[in-house]
Amino acid sequence: MKFRSTPQSITGSISPLITPFADDMSLDLGSLATLTRWHLDSGTHGVSIGGSTGEPSSQTVAERIAAIRTVAEVVDDSVPFLAGTGSAKLDETLEVTAAAVEAGADAALVITPYYARPTQEALFRWYSTVATEFPDMPIVIYNVPSRTAVDLAPETVARLNSAHENIVGIKETTKDFEHFSRVLHATGRDFLVWSGIELLCLPLMALGGSGFISATANLAPKAVATMFERWQAGDFAGAREIHYALHPLTDLLFVETNPAPAKWVLHQKGLLASPAVRSPLITPTPEGLEKIQKLLAQADAVIQGETFPVQSI
């Protein structure tokens, strides 16, 4: 909770961790601890658990809380920790958020409630309830309409930010880049905005974004962190070079449903004991694996964390 009182310091590449499962589909906290340490050693600027890449909807509340506690213990205030605590149910959201507060997370990442397709007024009341229940916990909205079937309007984001001091930012996972700009315009430039769309991570920085919460960091945490650092240092060409080098990894992640391809790669690297994903997801098919391996070969340098020469683009 070292960064909880200064949420503006939560910037850079925040790796959205996958949640490892054993072959018998039980929660593998040992692999989660190993994976978290690897991210820290790779120079990632922060970590998150419980977002879409973490398969939260396939887990019980107890499992989600156990994963949050494991990551918090490994991180030990060394970098910011955003705990994904949202659910389709309000009582579960409040229970997991309370556990994140107790575990020492620096902020709660709360997804828009999925499936029900609430109105903007309903979304305002939902987030207001969470923010009011935990007034000392920074709340980060997680807008991902492709998975939830509801899009939080920029005007609603601004309204929430005005009504609650602890609603400090948003993870925007929409390919509508205009949406990013309208959120920052409506809320003001102090509002924290992270991109959850891999190929919009670097472009967001030109609008005043705070960084990325990108699944690509699961496979190349050093490269994604370096891309942010180069941008911050004014090395825009160098940042662009990494952006383009990450293209094959982005394609790899979505050969089949995320995080199945990433889990397979991490298992091959020895960072996971198993590539298992929980139903309704499946591990990559033979056809998928063929594509994954081809893309993996194209991305070998960026996975190894090599420094890329600056080129004119």
Side-chain angles (χ1 to χ4, degrees):
M1 56 187 295
K2 173 182 175 182
F3 304 91
R4 189 182 295 178
S5 61
T6 55
Q8 293 295 328
S9 65
I10 306 175
T11 61
S13 173
I14 311 296
S15 297
L17 304 175
I18 60 93
T19 303
F21 304 124
D23 287 331
D24 65 0
M25 296 300 163
S26 61
L27 192 62
D28 182 1
L29 296 177
S31 287
L32 178 57
T34 297
L35 192 65
T36 305
R37 283 191 288 269
W38 176 65
H39 277 276
L40 297 178
D41 291 343
S42 299
T44 196
H45 305 125
V47 296
S48 179
I49 187 73
S52 301
T53 302
E55 299 175 77
S57 62
S58 72
Q59 298 169 51
T60 66
V61 168
E63 287 175 324
R64 294 182 66 187
I65 291 172
I68 288 171
R69 288 172 176 165
T70 296
V71 174
E73 184 176 344
V74 174
V75 170
D76 192 26
D77 279 339
S78 57
V79 296
F81 171 35
L82 278 66
T85 63
S87 166
K89 297 175 64 179
L90 183 58
D91 61 340
E92 289 184 357
T93 299
L94 296 177
E95 183 178 356
V96 180
T97 304
V101 172
E102 182 181 358
D106 296 291
L109 181 67
V110 182
I111 195 169
T112 50
Y114 36 89
Y115 187 77
R117 301 182 70 182
T119 64
Q120 294 300 307
E121 178 61 28
L123 289 168
F124 176 82
R125 296 185 190 184
W126 172 281
Y127 280 106
S128 289
T129 299
V130 178
T132 301
E133 187 76 15
F134 305 100
D136 297 324
M137 183 65 160
I139 304 297
V140 175
I141 297 165
Y142 181 14
N143 188 41
V144 53
S146 65
R147 288 187 180 257
T148 64
V150 65
D151 192 7
L152 193 64
E155 295 77 15
T156 306
V157 178
R159 185 182 171 199
L160 285 164
N161 179 232
S162 295
H164 304 280
E165 289 186 0
N166 59 324
I167 294 184
V168 299
I170 189 168
K171 175 185 177 182
E172 279 289 1
T173 307
T174 171
K175 292 184 178 181
D176 179 4
F177 196 52
E178 182 177 310
H179 190 94
F180 290 76
S181 186
R182 293 195 179 280
V183 166
L184 279 163
H185 181 65
T187 58
R189 293 345 162 256
D190 290 337
F191 197 65
L192 303 171
V193 179
W194 295 270
S195 174
I197 296 292
E198 281 62 37
L199 297 185
L200 293 182
C201 285
L202 187 62
L204 175 62
M205 299 306 294
L207 298 179
S210 304
F212 342 123
I213 306 179
S214 167
T216 310
N218 271 300
L219 302 183
K222 181 178 179 180
V224 178
T226 301
M227 181 170 70
F228 177 85
E229 291 165 3
R230 286 186 176 183
W231 176 271
Q232 290 295 90
D235 180 9
F236 306 134
R240 283 196 300 269
E241 186 66 20
I242 297 178
H243 166 84
Y244 286 109
L246 289 170
H247 267 245
L249 276 190
T250 298
D251 293 341
L252 183 161
L253 289 171
F254 302 104
V255 164
E256 293 182 7
T257 306
N258 177 50
K263 281 191 163 184
W264 184 86
V265 173
L266 291 169
H267 174 59
Q268 296 300 306
K269 289 173 63 69
L271 289 164
L272 296 182
S274 169
V277 290
R278 283 186 176 171
S279 183
L281 301 185
I282 59 172
T283 52
T285 62
E287 295 79 10
L289 284 178
E290 184 178 353
K291 295 177 182 178
I292 288 169
Q293 289 167 330
K294 287 180 179 178
L295 291 165
L296 202 57
Q298 296 175 32
D300 183 66
V302 73
I303 287 178
Q304 300 304 323
E306 293 181 14
T307 299
F308 299 91
V310 174
Q311 300 177 2
S312 298
I313 297 177

